[in-house]
Amino acid sequence: MTEAHHERVLIVDFGSQVTQLIARRVRESGVYCEIHPYDKAEAALAAMRPKAIILSGGPASVHEAESPAAARALFEADVPVLGICYGEQTMCAELGGKVEPGTTREFGRAEIEIVRDSPLLEGLGGAGHRETVWMSHGDKVTALPQGFETVAVSEGSPFAVIADEGRRFYGIQFHPEVAHTPRGALILRNFTHRIAGLSGDWTMASYRQEQVEKIRAQVGKAKVICGLSGGVDSSVAAVLIHEAIGDQLTCVFVDTGLLRQNEATQVVTMFRDHYNIPLVHVDASDLFLGELAGVTDPETKRKTIGRLFIDVFDRESAKIEGAEFLAQGTLYPDVIESVSARGGPSAVIKSHHNVGGLPDYMKLKLVEPLRELFKDEVRALGVELGLPPPFVGRHPFPGPGLAIRIPGEITREKVAVLQQADAIYLDEIRKAGLYDSIWQAFAVLLPVKTVGVMGDARTYEHVLALRAVTSTDGMTADFFEFPWDVLGRCATRIINEVRGVNRVVYDVTSKPPGTIEWE
């Protein structure tokens, strides 16, 4: 829980796959918010004492037995309430309205027509204005609770936007949090700033100072160990903790041999030479690559990497006398998923990105200074702390490293080929000025070989796939529309410079909400 003096918004999660986007949009306007599942909403209400409440969407039907319902206490807290999609429906059901199965469903882009003025839609246009939004519902409100009026309608929803201005209760049938509702962020800002009267006091400068004070109070004179992966999250956590407690922090950097080209050298140079942070560098590449020899099952590979990482980290940590705390780069999405109204993510998907948590027997207390932040906020904090912008802006990199970008057996030779090809790919993207326009770009060494002709010789070598996706939220993704000349340069350089590759393909797969990694 953040410091009490921040204005706070409670987001009640009814299981929507895009609930996190509501929080991101709210925070983008400078307002701190937290997501709590509907069955824990009353406890969160008492603990947070929020200035406003947002009810998320969800997959259930209000009229079905055992469907989740908004707690009555939420409407008795004397603060503004905004219901989104299912949130609007449960609000109406709880306050005396009526929700029924729709005769037609409304999914995708739609237009609402504003029929009366409301501060919620301020800045969109007056009565008669039509606005593009993103709908996703099968049920619909058929009767409003007492005190509510219709603010906007759509072809499939006679109550697309509703309001009880006296009690400051609002409902919208569409999703303002997704990018497909172009001015959805303005609607959310109208709710938090115009209706709830929040000023927006959530800044990285204030967060930095608060966390420094928290870390000092929590740790005292004890020592802290940080598992440094070389990624943005653990690096920002390490720099922040070092600012708080100095040399009481020791970072342990386990080089698995599965990092990007020259990444281990870059990490050691930055933390030892630039920041002067105590760092233990363990080159365990022989151990990892040796244990992975002959392993082809993707899940077995991940579990092997996780087990070895824990073993190496445990061995090195035991050498640090007086260590009582373990620093982790846990982010807010991890916290949300652990208590999600949907029961959390599947273990298989989660293991795709991580190498596994540390065992209980290590008996270390956790320091998690980033657990209230989203990924983009971590990057903003990194800039605030003075980390180099090119480092802070690096594309996401999975915990198991290149292991999940080499389907099939992993060998040292394959890793070397992929490292070199991936470095060329990223170098050409940077030269073209496209790196910051792409959420994630990487190469994959496919378990396929093809016959080719290079010069006067026939070759039988690997196929390399290039991937680049755009994303505004890290949850959904679409392929990046590369200029053909850039792709051409990438392919030409890789084939000419990387021995073992004779064909390069570009993957144009899009991803729905969920993981945006390769597999």
Side-chain angles (χ1 to χ4, degrees):
M1 198 73 68
T2 195
E3 296 298 318
H5 62 262
H6 279 301
E7 303 167 327
R8 286 168 288 180
V9 171
L10 168 62
I11 300 173
V12 180
D13 182 18
F14 289 95
S16 169
Q17 61 186 349
V18 291
T19 297
Q20 290 188 26
L21 295 188
I22 303 173
R24 290 174 63 89
R25 301 295 171 258
V26 170
R27 291 201 183 176
E28 285 167 4
S29 68
V31 175
Y32 181 78
C33 60
E34 291 182 9
I35 298 172
H36 291 270
Y38 70 91
D39 55 352
K40 295 181 175 63
E42 288 191 72
L45 178 67
M48 287 182 64
R49 296 166 60 188
K51 299 288 187 180
I53 297 169
I54 298 177
L55 311 178
S56 86
S61 294
V62 170
H63 54 82
E64 293 180 350
E66 299 183 1
S67 60
R72 191 75 187 186
L74 300 174
F75 305 111
E76 297 172 348
D78 195 28
V79 298
V81 180
L82 172 65
I84 296 174
C85 197
Y86 184 88
E88 179 195 54
Q89 294 170 6
T90 188
M91 172 189 285
C92 287
E94 290 299 309
L95 297 180
K98 192 172 183 180
V99 180
E100 297 178 346
T103 55
T104 60
R105 297 184 298 175
E106 209 172 12
F107 290 96
R109 284 186 176 83
E111 280 194 338
I112 60 169
E113 180 182 350
I114 298 174
V115 297
R116 71 169 63 241
D117 292 337
S118 170
L120 185 67
L121 304 184
E122 187 74 26
L124 296 186
H129 172 75
R130 301 182 70 87
E131 183 76 16
T132 299
V133 299
W134 188 263
M135 294 282 191
S136 181
H137 65 100
D139 299 340
K140 67 179 181 180
V141 177
T142 56
L144 294 181
Q146 186 175 357
F148 279 83
E149 295 181 320
T150 302
V151 174
V153 300
S154 72
E155 183 177 348
S157 178
F159 306 116
V161 181
I162 60 174
D164 181 335
E165 304 286 4
R167 289 185 289 179
R168 296 184 297 173
F169 291 168
Y170 300 85
I172 53 180
Q173 192 58 76
F174 55 89
H175 288 272
E177 68 271 26
V178 301
H180 305 81
T181 300
R183 294 202 284 180
L186 174 60
I187 296 172
L188 290 171
R189 184 181 177 88
N190 281 341
F191 176 70
T192 56
H193 289 65
R194 189 179 298 275
I195 294 169
L198 305 184
S199 61
D201 61 356
W202 173 247
T203 66
M204 281 303 105
S206 65
Y207 187 87
R208 172 186 181 180
Q209 185 57 42
E210 289 165 8
Q211 287 302 315
V212 165
E213 294 170 3
K214 278 186 178 181
I215 293 165
R216 288 172 179 166
Q218 180 185 8
V219 171
K221 299 297 183 181
K223 290 185 178 180
V224 179
I225 302 171
C226 177
L228 190 66
S229 69
V232 175
D233 301 339
S234 63
S235 298
V236 171
V239 173
L240 178 61
I241 294 169
H242 187 256
E243 180 176 285
I245 60 173
D247 288 352
Q248 290 172 244
L249 170 71
T250 298
C251 291
V252 176
F253 173 45
V254 179
D255 181 358
T256 65
L258 299 167
L259 302 175
R260 287 171 286 206
Q261 189 176 60
N262 300 322
E263 189 164 35
T265 300
Q266 293 167 2
V267 170
V268 172
T269 299
M270 183 169 70
F271 281 85
R272 279 186 180 162
D273 299 344
H274 183 72
Y275 284 100
N276 198 29
I277 296 176
L279 174 68
V280 177
H281 175 210
V282 186
D283 184 354
S285 55
D286 288 342
L287 172 65
F288 279 82
L289 292 173
E291 289 260 359
L292 289 169
V295 178
T296 59
D297 177 68
E299 193 66 14
T300 303
K301 286 193 288 188
R302 297 181 194 113
K303 289 179 178 177
T304 300
I305 293 168
R307 172 177 55 81
L308 294 175
F309 182 90
I310 291 170
D311 290 346
V312 175
F313 189 88
D314 186 23
R315 184 184 68 234
E316 296 301 323
S317 299
K319 300 175 184 178
I320 302 172
E321 296 183 4
E324 298 180 17
F325 291 88
L326 170 69
Q328 290 189 163
T330 305
L331 302 190
Y332 192 47
D334 301 319
V335 178
I336 296 168
E337 288 169 347
S338 68
V339 294
S340 169
R342 292 168 286 143
S346 74
V348 172
I349 292 177
K350 191 66 177 174
S351 72
H352 177 81
H353 299 281
N354 300 322
V355 295
L358 294 175
D360 294 336
Y361 65 76
M362 292 188 70
K363 304 300 182 185
L364 296 173
K365 293 168 281 189
L366 290 178
V367 179
E368 298 174 307
L370 310 182
R371 65 180 285 114
E372 295 171 3
L373 302 182
F374 286 102
K375 185 73 172 183
D376 57 328
E377 293 174 320
V378 173
R379 288 175 170 167
L381 179 59
V383 172
E384 174 69 27
L385 289 165
L387 280 160
F391 179 85
V392 174
R394 288 194 309 169
H395 294 172
F397 191 65
L402 298 180
I404 61 172
R405 297 177 183 172
I406 304 177
E409 182 181 7
I410 297 172
T411 65
R412 190 177 293 274
E413 292 71 27
K414 286 182 180 180
V415 171
V417 167
L418 183 57
Q419 285 176 329
Q420 186 181 4
D422 192 66
I424 291 171
Y425 181 35
L426 295 180
D427 180 55
E428 287 297 329
I429 289 172
R430 287 189 174 96
K431 285 179 178 178
L434 300 174
Y435 189 86
D436 292 336
S437 301
I438 299 170
W439 173 264
Q440 189 180 45
F442 55 87
V444 176
L445 192 65
L446 299 180
V448 176
K449 286 187 175 182
T450 61
V451 175
V453 176
M454 300 178 71
D456 296 323
R458 179 174 292 169
T459 63
Y460 182 61
E461 294 178 330
H462 287 285
V463 178
L464 188 89
L466 303 181
R467 186 157 199 234
V469 296
T470 59
S471 179
T472 58
D473 47 50
M475 296 176 64
T476 60
D478 202 357
F479 67 89
F480 180 74
E481 296 187 14
F482 262 114
W484 284 110
D485 59 327
V486 178
L487 274 181
R489 287 196 297 272
C490 290
T492 299
R493 279 194 60 191
I494 289 170
I495 290 173
N496 285 340
E497 298 176 32
V498 182
R499 289 190 175 274
V501 176
N502 69 0
R503 189 178 299 265
V504 176
V505 298
Y506 182 57
D507 171 39
V508 293
T509 306
S510 300
K511 281 283 187 178
T515 173
I516 60 172
E517 260 290 355
W518 172 260
E519 297 175 338

